[in-house]
């Protein structure tokens, strides 16, 4: 399209997610997606990890459309991917040479690799079947955006190859978070096709400087492609302090790596350290929820406790807005840079956490919260809780102001998303 000597470029964004805008996962995309509305003429969202009957749960911009590409239930589809992986032990997939050395003689790594490749190929074929009907040949520029640097990332590589057959300007970018960055945190100490993906992508955006450092130190030849792009949260106002006592909140999945069970032990010991007015609220669910409920019943009978389960992002923010919250706590042994902490910070809630992943990029020890070693003893958490409990309101307010200021400077979504995936609106003729 040309007008007055200026060429208007038609741009499309193809975004590959796990489940968004279906289900309750990837809630942080809700803060980001609206910023892409004016950057692209059309947005196509392809969630690849759903059952066919999944229900839409989130709103998207007017120029965005979404397709549940799955043709079979995930449990059945992934079983097929595993069985095909057994066959691939005899007839390897095309990518084996890229990882042959790092796989070595490990059968478990080889099976993980084959499963990863088969799952990605299946998802690509499902996505391609949808995109073939979308009339994308009318676009001058297409950006393929993988929200994760794992299965969706290999799907993205394959989609770029397909789209490049009729579009000369296809850009390939990905975000990277935690499990898809830190290979040493994987039970096998291995994530498939790291070098291959870095080679194929135009840009990879870890959500923390810690993630960027991990990737660039291990793969320095690709460092020019890797740049930190913080996630962020919107400003929903400030929470209040409790009139008396201490209201502690945690927000995470309930699974081994998050160590929510350890928070129960911390609260139990803290409650026993004196005549304390304590309330603990946990937001989130997971495969260890039944054990968590038993531990709470057994150990925290004298403590006011709320287990709110999974809440939509809007309800989490509403909770902070309506309820006095004094401190956010995390005992996790692995993180990227949690959006849950950014949310708490935006409401002016100081944070006590293990110093893992990119947490130290938000939390400054003794300034806006406290950081403890990953293997810190429960008593170390309790000592900080004792100190914070005994502070007067004015001293607590200093921490609250500091964490809010840190959020404003680096994690306000209106700033952090503004330039992400930005492209010029026109080019000269």
């Amino acid at each position: 399209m040309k007008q007055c000597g200026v060429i208007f470029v038609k741009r499309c964004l193809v975004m590959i997610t796990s489940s968004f805008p279906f289900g309750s996962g990837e809630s942080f995309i809700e803060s980001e997606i609206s910023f892409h509305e004016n950057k692209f003429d059309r947005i196509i969202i392809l969630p690849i990890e759903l059952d066919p009957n999944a229900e839409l749960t989130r709103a998207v911009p007017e120029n965005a459309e979404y397709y549940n590409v799955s043709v079979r239930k995930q449990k059945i589809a992934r079983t097929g991917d595993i069985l095909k992986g057994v066959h691939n032990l005899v007839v390897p997939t095309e990518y084996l040479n890229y990882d042959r050395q790092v796989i070595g003689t490990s059968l478990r790594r080889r099976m993980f690799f084959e499963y990863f490749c088969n799952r990605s190929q299946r998802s690509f074929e499902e996505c391609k079947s949808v995109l073939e009907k979308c009339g994308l040949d009318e676009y001058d520029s297409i950006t393929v955006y993988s929200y994760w640097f794992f299965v969706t990332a290999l799907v993205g590589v394959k989609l770029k190859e397909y789209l490049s057959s009729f579009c000369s300007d296809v850009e390939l970018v990905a975000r990277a978070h935690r499990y898809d960055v830190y290979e040493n945190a994987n039970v096998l100490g291995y994530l498939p096709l790291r070098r291959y993906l870095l080679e194929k992508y135009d840009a990879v955006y870890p959500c923390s400087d810690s993630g960027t450092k991990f990737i660039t130190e291990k793969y320095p030849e690709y460092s020019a492609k890797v740049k930190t792009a913080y996630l962020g949260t919107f400003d929903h106002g400030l929470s209040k302090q409790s009139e008396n006592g201490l209201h502690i909140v945690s927000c995470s999945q309930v699974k081994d790596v998050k160590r929510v069970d350890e928070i129960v032990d911390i609260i139990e010991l803290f409650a026993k350290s004196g005549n304390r007015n304590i309330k603990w609220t946990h937001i989130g669910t997971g495969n260890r929820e039944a054990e968590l409920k038993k531990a709470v019943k057994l150990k925290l009978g004298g403590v006011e406790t709320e287990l709110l389960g999974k809440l939509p992002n809007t309800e989490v923010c509403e909770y902070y807005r309506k309820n006095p919250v004094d401190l956010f706590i995390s005992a996790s042994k692995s993180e990227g840079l949690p959006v849950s902490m950014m949310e708490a910070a935006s409401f002016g809630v100081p944070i006590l956490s293990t110093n893992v992943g990119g947490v130290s990029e938000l939390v400054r020890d003794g300034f806006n919260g406290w950081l403890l070693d990953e293997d810190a003893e429960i008593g170390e958490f309790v000592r900080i809780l004792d100190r914070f409990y005994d502070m007067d309101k004015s001293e607590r307010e200093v921490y609250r102001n500091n964490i809010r200021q840190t959020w404003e400077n680096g994690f306000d979504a209106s700033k952090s998303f503004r330039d992400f995936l930005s492209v010029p609106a026109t080019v000269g003729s």
Side-chain angles (χ1 to χ4, degrees):
M1 183 184 302
K2 185 173 180 180
Q3 183 176 347
C4 300
V6 175
I7 300 172
F8 290 86
V9 178
K10 290 189 68 176
R11 292 185 167 89
C12 180
L13 175 65
V14 177
M15 187 173 184
I16 315 162
T17 69
S18 291
S19 61
F20 182 88
F22 297 81
S24 58
E26 298 170 316
S27 58
F28 23 83
I29 297 179
E30 296 175 36
S31 299
E32 178 181 339
I33 190 69
S34 61
F35 283 85
H36 301 321
E37 183 175 9
N38 296 322
K39 299 175 186 176
F40 298 91
D41 300 285
R42 184 181 184 186
I43 300 172
I44 299 174
I45 307 172
L46 303 174
I48 66 170
E49 297 180 6
L50 298 170
D51 287 341
N53 60 349
E55 295 183 5
L56 181 70
T57 55
R58 268 78 66 83
V60 298
E62 288 188 6
N63 65 335
E65 57 206 77
Y66 43 84
Y67 300 93
N68 179 356
V69 302
S70 300
V71 297
R72 291 176 291 174
K73 288 187 175 182
Q74 286 297 301
K75 191 172 183 179
I76 296 173
R78 293 191 187 188
T79 298
D81 298 335
I82 294 170
L83 293 176
K84 189 177 290 187
V86 176
H87 170 74
N88 293 142
L89 294 176
V90 179
V91 184
T93 52
E94 60 182 301
Y95 302 105
L96 181 60
N97 285 337
Y98 287 96
D99 271 22
R100 191 182 295 275
Q101 185 173 355
V102 70
I103 290 172
T105 59
S106 171
L107 179 60
R108 294 177 68 197
R109 284 189 176 188
R110 175 67 186 280
M111 282 300 299
F112 183 33
F113 166 84
E114 299 293 353
Y115 164 73
F116 172 86
C117 293
N118 290 329
R119 182 175 158 193
S120 300
Q121 179 64 30
R122 170 178 55 81
S123 294
F124 160 68
E125 291 171 357
E126 292 170 339
C127 289
K128 180 173 177 284
S129 179
V130 168
L131 293 180
E132 285 174 336
K133 305 169 187 176
C134 288
L136 296 183
D137 54 349
E138 66 179 87
Y139 290 90
D140 304 296
S141 173
I142 301 174
T143 297
V144 179
Y145 172 21
S146 169
Y147 202 76
W148 303 91
F149 202 52
F150 192 58
V151 171
T152 59
L154 185 52
V155 174
V157 172
K158 293 172 177 290
L159 284 180
K160 179 177 180 178
E161 292 172 353
Y162 159 66
L163 295 169
S164 295
S165 65
F166 56 82
C167 179
S168 61
D169 183 11
V170 182
E171 184 183 28
L172 182 60
V173 300
R175 280 199 183 273
H177 301 260
R178 181 189 63 82
Y179 83 91
D180 52 349
V181 172
Y182 301 104
E183 299 162 58
N184 55 338
N186 181 274
V187 67
L188 299 179
Y190 164 69
L191 293 175
L193 294 177
R194 299 289 93 183
R195 289 187 186 278
Y196 176 79
L197 293 175
L198 287 165
E199 174 188 321
K200 293 295 184 181
Y201 269 75
D202 298 301
V204 175
Y205 297 100
C207 69
S208 69
D209 286 336
S210 171
T212 296
K213 181 180 179 182
F214 183 91
I215 293 174
T216 56
E217 286 186 349
K218 188 160 188 178
Y219 307 101
E221 64 270 36
Y222 300 111
S223 59
K225 295 183 176 185
V226 185
K227 181 180 178 181
T228 302
Y230 286 129
L231 298 173
T233 58
F234 287 115
D235 187 357
H236 295 284
L238 296 170
S239 183
K240 299 177 182 178
Q241 289 196 54
S242 300
E243 287 299 321
N244 53 70
L246 193 63
H247 182 191
I248 303 168
V249 168
S250 51
C251 181
S252 72
Q253 292 180 294
V254 184
K255 58 183 184 180
D256 288 340
V257 69
K258 300 299 184 178
R259 297 196 291 207
V260 182
D261 57 330
E262 189 164 306
I263 297 177
V264 174
D265 294 335
I266 292 166
I267 300 296
E268 179 189 28
L269 185 57
F270 177 49
K272 290 178 178 178
S273 66
N275 186 19
R276 306 295 201 188
N277 179 14
I278 307 165
K279 179 179 179 180
W280 173 49
T281 299
H282 181 75
I283 302 169
T285 187
N287 61 4
R288 299 297 301 272
E289 186 174 16
E291 292 95 324
L292 176 63
K293 289 179 177 178
K294 289 179 183 177
V296 167
K297 187 175 182 179
L298 178 66
K299 299 178 180 181
L300 300 183
V303 177
E304 184 180 357
T305 303
E306 290 181 317
L307 299 179
L308 299 182
K310 177 69 176 179
L311 295 181
N313 181 258
T314 53
E315 291 185 24
V316 173
C317 293
E318 190 72 7
Y319 186 88
Y320 281 113
R321 189 164 48 239
K322 290 185 174 180
N323 296 274
V325 178
D326 301 300
L327 188 71
F328 183 100
I329 190 170
S330 170
S332 179
K333 63 181 179 181
S334 180
E335 291 290 354
L337 206 172
V339 172
S340 60
M341 290 188 187
M342 297 179 201
E343 286 170 341
S346 75
F347 284 94
V349 178
I351 296 168
L352 167 59
S353 175
T354 44
N355 188 5
V356 293
V359 172
S360 63
E361 294 164 46
L362 173 64
V363 183
R364 290 171 56 188
D365 189 57
F367 176 73
N368 58 18
W370 295 268
L371 295 172
L372 293 173
D373 290 342
E374 176 187 338
D375 298 321
E377 299 288 336
I378 290 171
E380 295 179 60
F381 283 89
V382 174
R383 279 191 289 275
I384 291 173
L385 292 178
D386 280 332
R387 190 190 324 163
F388 191 66
Y389 189 94
D390 292 334
M391 287 182 184
D392 58 36
K393 281 195 172 185
S394 62
E395 192 175 358
R396 288 189 189 179
E397 195 64 29
V398 172
Y399 282 87
R400 296 175 70 87
N401 291 337
N402 288 345
I403 194 70
R404 168 70 183 194
Q405 189 64 53
T406 302
W407 173 83
E408 289 178 353
N409 291 340
F411 304 96
D412 183 344
S414 64
K415 301 173 184 176
S416 60
F417 291 141
R418 184 174 51 207
D419 298 324
F420 184 64
L421 299 188
S422 288
V423 289
T426 61
V427 296
S429 62

